[in-house]
């Protein structure tokens, strides 16, 4: 029943959330051989080049609104990826994935305050179930070989804050844009915003990309691919899904991130993590069984002026 009620926007956002969850684990693998600045340079500059070429080849690249999208890209992939990579180098994949559970809560709060979206009773219940599950999952990060640090977790949480602001901004302005064009310009903006940090870091500490080898480069390229594909899917879906609903669908990211860390990195979940993951999925299922439409739909950027008259 749930599958039959999924709209295109819901499917795109769920798939994007799953891809970002896998990307968290793959990033940890890449950071075992390269520095955070190396991974940042590869994933953002590579995504910018790939998306620009693809959008141009498909004749979907437009100059209109490019500056606005580049400014949004300073949040994601720019600031969020920078803080995320620095944090992942200092914490575990499972812990980072679980910290992402704060993203839906912050995004829902911003959607209600900034976009004036209203939650139905079912949506509010879905938020409550999802947050309880996320809290249980994060209560015991599990055995991570002692690599968790306060600084790493704080950096991941700051990346979460940047992502929440990005969600609200894309929902506000992307009603009349397609995923590929928006993602291409956002990647360009993100790349330009982190150039000073990359140049400074390489000049001060050098790069390990030359020694990444057969273990590091596939992981770096996988992170690049996940980021590019996840961005396109997110921008394609956000235009038709309320920000609060999109934030709740994003609860899938920490669940997939934790599962992929268990399967590929050998992280061991506690019983609370398992129960919390089930609760998160239950919250998503409850949300998808309800009506998909927003109480106050966001307007495309071209219609904002008309609304204010």
């Amino acid at each position: 029943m749930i599958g039959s009620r999924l709209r295109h926007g819901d499917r795109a956002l769920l798939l994007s959330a799953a891809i970002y969850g896998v990307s968290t684990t793959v990033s940890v693998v890449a950071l075992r051989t390269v520095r955070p600045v190396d991974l940042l340079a590869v994933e953002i500059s590579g995504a910018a080049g790939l998306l620009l070429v693809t959008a141009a080849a498909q004749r979907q690249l437009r100059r209109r609104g490019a500056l606005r999208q580049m400014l949004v890209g300073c949040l994601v992939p720019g600031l969020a990826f920078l803080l995320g990579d620095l944090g992942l180098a200092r914490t575990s994949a499972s812990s980072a994935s679980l910290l992402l559970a704060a993203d839906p809560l912050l995004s829902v709060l911003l959607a209600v305050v900034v976009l004036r979206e209203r939650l139905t009773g079912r949506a509010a219940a879905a938020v409550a179930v999802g947050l309880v599950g996320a809290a249980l999952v994060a209560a015991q990060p599990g055995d991570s070989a002692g690599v968790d640090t306060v600084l790493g977790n704080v950096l991941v949480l700051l990346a979460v804050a940047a992502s929440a602001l990005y969600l609200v901004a894309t929902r506000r302005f992307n009603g009349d844009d397609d995923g590929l064009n928006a993602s291409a310009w956002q990647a360009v903006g993100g790349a330009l915003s982190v150039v000073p940090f990359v140049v400074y870091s390489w000049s001060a500490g050098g790069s390990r990309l030359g020694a990444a080898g057969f273990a590091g480069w596939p992981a770096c390229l996988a992170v690049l691919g996940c980021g590019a594909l996840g961005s396109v899917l997110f921008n394609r879906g956000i235009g038709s899904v309320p920000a609060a609903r999109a934030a709740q669908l994003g609860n899938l990211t920490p669940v997939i991130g934790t599962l992929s860390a268990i399967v590929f990195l050998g992280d061991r979940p506690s019983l609370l993590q398992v129960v919390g993951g089930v609760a998160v999925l239950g919250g998503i299922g409850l949300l998808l069984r309800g009506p998909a439409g927003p109480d106050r739909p966001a307007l495309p950027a071209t219609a904002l002026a008309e609304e204010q008259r």
Side-chain angles (χ1 to χ4, degrees):
M1 288 180 61
I2 294 178
S4 63
R5 303 189 66 169
L6 278 176
R7 297 188 309 174
H8 173 74
D10 290 332
R11 291 195 298 269
L13 290 175
L14 282 172
L15 184 55
S16 173
I19 290 172
Y20 280 135
V22 173
S23 179
T24 302
T25 298
V26 179
S27 294
V28 172
V29 175
L31 289 169
R32 291 174 176 175
T33 56
V34 301
R35 298 179 61 206
V37 64
D38 299 331
L39 179 60
L40 180 70
V42 170
E43 64 181 329
I44 294 189
S45 63
L50 175 64
L51 292 173
L52 279 175
V53 170
T54 303
Q58 296 188 11
R59 298 182 179 180
Q60 295 186 35
L61 191 65
R62 301 189 300 273
R63 293 183 181 180
R64 182 180 180 182
L67 179 59
R68 182 181 66 221
Q69 294 293 356
M70 284 192 288
L71 291 175
V72 172
C74 291
L75 289 171
V76 176
L79 187 60
F81 280 29
L82 169 59
L83 295 171
D85 287 347
L86 291 174
L88 285 171
R90 294 166 172 82
T91 190
S92 68
S94 58
S95 292
S97 296
L98 304 181
L99 289 169
L100 294 176
D103 193 351
L105 173 60
L106 182 56
S107 298
V108 168
L109 291 176
L110 288 175
V112 171
V113 173
V114 178
L115 300 179
R116 299 179 182 178
E117 293 184 0
R118 293 185 297 273
L119 297 178
T120 64
R122 184 185 294 270
V127 170
V129 172
L131 290 177
V132 169
L136 291 175
V137 173
Q140 294 182 359
D143 183 8
S144 301
V147 298
D148 293 77
T149 68
V150 174
L151 177 59
N153 291 337
V154 169
L155 289 170
V156 172
L157 285 175
L158 290 175
V160 165
S163 297
L165 291 171
Y166 167 80
L167 186 149
V168 172
T170 51
R171 175 57 185 158
R172 185 71 169 83
F173 296 116
N174 278 21
D176 59 350
D177 207 339
D178 65 273
L180 184 56
N181 176 73
S183 295
W185 290 120
Q186 287 170 13
V188 171
L192 293 176
S193 67
V194 301
V195 164
F197 174 80
V198 172
V199 171
Y200 171 78
S201 297
W202 276 348
S203 63
S207 171
R208 296 179 188 169
L209 285 174
F214 291 106
W217 271 110
C220 289
L221 294 177
V223 174
L224 186 164
C226 285
L229 181 57
S231 174
V232 171
L233 289 169
F234 178 87
N235 279 295
R236 186 164 292 171
I238 192 62
S240 59
V241 178
R245 184 181 180 86
Q248 294 168 69
L249 295 176
N251 265 320
L252 188 62
T253 293
V255 174
I256 297 299
T258 302
L259 287 175
S260 60
I262 292 169
V263 173
F264 297 108
L265 301 183
D267 284 5
R268 297 179 180 178
S270 66
L271 178 60
L272 282 180
Q273 285 180 303
V274 175
V275 173
V278 172
V280 168
L281 294 176
I284 293 175
L286 179 63
L287 175 71
L288 294 178
R289 290 178 65 88
D295 291 322
R296 183 185 184 277
L299 293 175
T302 53
L304 293 177
E306 294 296 330
E307 183 196 46
Q308 296 170 355
R309 289 181 181 178

